[in-house]
Amino acid sequence: MKALDHMTVMLDAEQIQQAVADMAERINREVIASAATDREPVMVVVLKGAFLFASDLLRHLSRPIPVVFAHTRSQEERIVMTVEDQEFLRGRDLILVDILLDSGDSLKRLHRWLTDACQPASIRIAVLLHKTVLDPEPLPLDFLGYEVPDLRLVGYGMDEHQRFRGLPCVYTWWKPTPDLA
Ligand SMILES: O=P(O)(O)OC[C@H]1O[C@H](OP(=O)(O)OP(=O)(O)O)[C@H](O)[C@@H]1O
Ligand SMILES: Nc1nc2[nH]cnc2c(=O)[nH]1
């Protein structure tokens, strides 16, 4: 297919869905089963990249827990979340969901910001993909799908110039030669 000539499947839809189901099973067992009925954990979804992963994960959870969205980008300081949602997270147990940990900058920044601005009771981190890059201060991940090599990735929520997010697989991506672009 011409548009995908410069992409190679790294994880197919079946491998992704298996990791999602396995992770949900652990979250159900380790987080949701022990939560009090009046203090359900809250999923915090990191936009834009985690939108598909989070919606697949949610559909495997044993309770219909609340969901809040936070928007951040790896190259920017800005974090966007409504004031109502910030207030809602106070004193709650959070499951922070992102599609990818690369340098770790986005999640570290968001973790610090959540801790300061929202004062939750706890934060657990769930990430589908972790790039094996050298990080002297790695963020401890509570739930991880796959370790992946340090290559540019697209699909399953991840973009290249805002395209390819809807693809059901994760692809490695390289610049197309001009006549294929
Ligand atoms: O660990 P890092 O080096 O910070 O990279 C990881 C982040 O990069 C991607 O988001 P991106 O910044 O591309 O924004 P987007 O999700 O809106 O596309 C991805 O969805 C993670 O949130
Ligand atoms: N789409 C995409 N965004 C990223 N942000 C940090 N690393 C990546 C990557 O490999 N792909």
Side-chain angles (χ1 to χ4, degrees), residues 74 100 102 131 151-153 158-159:
S74 43
L100 169 70
D102 185 339
K131 275 195 202 175
L151 298 167
R152 181 77 187 168
L153 304 177
M158 293 174 289
D159 74 310

Side-chain angles (χ1 to χ4, degrees), residues 147-162:
E147 286 284 346
V148 292
D150 187 9
L151 298 167
R152 181 77 187 168
L153 304 177
V154 300
Y156 199 60
M158 293 174 289
D159 74 310
E160 190 57 42
H161 299 297
Q162 301 301 333

Side-chain angles (χ1 to χ4, degrees), residues 4 23 55 69 73 91 100 102 112 119 131 138 142 154 170:
L4 304 184
M23 190 183 295
S55 47
F69 298 96
R73 299 206 60 203
L100 169 70
D102 185 339
R112 269 197 306 274
Q119 299 175 349
K131 275 195 202 175
D142 300 276
V154 300
V170 172

Side-chain angles (χ1 to χ4, degrees), residues 32 34-42 63 66 88 90-93:
I32 296 192
S34 54
T37 336
D38 61 349
R39 217 184 87 170
E40 285 186 316
V42 183
R63 273 160 67 170
F88 182 69
R90 197 169 298 276
R92 305 294 292 255
D93 296 301

